[in-house]
Amino acid sequence: MAGKNLVGPEADALDLGAVFRALADEHRRSVIARLAADHSDSERGCNSFDLPISKQTQTHHFRVLREAGLVDEIDYGNRKGIRLRRADIERRFPGLLALLGAEPPGGTAPR
Amino acid sequence: MAGKNLVGPEADALDLGAVFRALADEHRRSVIARLAADHSDSERGCNSFDLPISKQTQTHHFRVLREAGLVDEIDYGNRKGIRLRRADIERRFPGLLALLGAEPPGGTAPR
DNA sequence: TTTCAGGTACGATGCAAGTCGTACCTGAAG
DNA sequence: CTTCAGGTACGACTTGCATCGTACCTGAAA
């Protein structure tokens, strides 16, 4: 019931390469951009992003985001929530999240 | 003798996805980090970075950096120079270059 | 002109990554 | 218990990408 918090890297261990690799994908970047735009930093359901990809692929992307240290994932068994690790990101890479707002809302048109 | 300036995207056309993809690679990130650390922004020889990779691969990486809009490449025929597009980058993605300094000098150990 | 070092072009290779199909698990609601 | 939707595990496929080998180009210097 409580939900298990899946493990990610410590705040000090955030790797810029992994972060850039995670944010290089349009889908993952749009997720982080939307989380960053909501300053309440509340937990959010994993299927509330309307990503135009299959469930399995979404699982993959959320895992990459967690392993890069950008989000916490909370596992409730039959559903899952994620929360932006804003404080950790801002401490280690100040200004990074603000950059995501420099993109048009819909993101760059896919090739 | 003058050197031809190879083409890259306009300042307004810088794409965050392409930039993140370019900076996801350790070698390219180390090049940009070193350029960003030198505030004189002078032109620099392409083989002054001591990258532990072949000539052909270096050609590839510098092309990626240019196509992402991060550097200008000046072709002199039998040698080449690059220059950081600091103003364009700062205008479009303020604070991005500062993030590269948040990494230890040697960068993360290569896999 | 010949030599030479820096750079490019093209192709091949190996590996990482995005995507999905099938099967299965999990907890909540009937 | 049964049903059902959200999520995962595993595997396959495809694409992208970092890397290098071979061959060639370019300009400077001997």
Side-chain angles (χ1 to χ4, degrees):
Chain A
M1 184 214 298
K4 286 170 297 188
N5 205 322
L6 301 180
V7 296
E10 299 291 323
D12 294 330
L14 292 192
D15 174 58
L16 193 52
V19 168
F20 281 151
R21 262 190 301 279
L23 294 176
D25 181 87
E26 308 278 337
H27 297 133
R28 293 194 291 258
R29 197 163 64 252
S30 90
V31 167
I32 299 297
R34 277 183 268 182
L35 287 172
D38 171 22
H39 252 266
S40 77
D41 285 342
S42 53
E43 187 180 320
R44 188 159 165 182
C46 267
N47 87 347
S48 70
F49 293 96
D50 286 315
L51 298 177
I53 50 181
S54 68
K55 298 190 300 178
Q56 311 93 292
T57 305
Q58 292 191 37
T59 294
H60 164 68
H61 285 311
F62 286 124
R63 174 203 287 261
V64 171
L65 289 176
R66 169 172 56 85
E67 290 180 344
L70 294 175
V71 302
D72 280 325
E73 272 185 306
I74 303 94
D75 180 16
Y76 297 98
N78 67 341
R79 69 195 170 82
K80 209 176 52 177
I82 68 176
R83 193 196 318 259
L84 183 65
R85 294 179 58 178
R86 187 185 297 273
D88 291 338
I89 300 169
E90 276 301 317
R91 182 155 73 81
R92 190 89 172 72
F93 305 121
L96 174 64
L97 293 175
L99 294 180
L100 300 175
E103 239 180 354
T108 303
R111 276 173 295 175
Chain B
M1 186 217 294
K4 287 171 295 191
N5 204 323
L6 301 180
V7 296
E10 298 292 322
D12 294 330
L14 292 192
D15 174 57
L16 194 51
V19 168
F20 281 152
R21 262 190 301 279
L23 294 177
D25 181 89
E26 309 277 337
H27 296 134
R28 292 194 291 259
R29 197 163 64 253
S30 91
V31 167
I32 299 298
R34 277 182 268 183
L35 287 173
D38 171 22
H39 253 264
S40 78
D41 284 342
S42 52
E43 187 181 320
R44 188 160 165 178
C46 267
N47 87 348
S48 71
F49 293 96
D50 287 316
L51 297 177
I53 50 181
S54 68
K55 296 190 301 179
Q56 311 94 294
T57 304
Q58 292 191 38
T59 294
H60 164 68
H61 284 312
F62 287 124
R63 173 201 290 260
V64 170
L65 290 175
R66 169 172 56 86
E67 290 180 344
L70 294 175
V71 302
D72 279 326
E73 273 185 306
I74 303 95
D75 181 15
Y76 297 99
N78 67 341
R79 66 191 172 87
K80 210 176 49 178
I82 69 175
R83 193 195 319 258
L84 184 65
R85 294 179 59 178
R86 186 185 297 274
D88 291 337
I89 300 170
E90 277 299 319
R91 182 156 73 82
R92 190 88 170 75
F93 305 121
L96 174 64
L97 293 176
L99 294 180
L100 300 176
E103 241 181 352
T108 303
R111 277 171 295 172

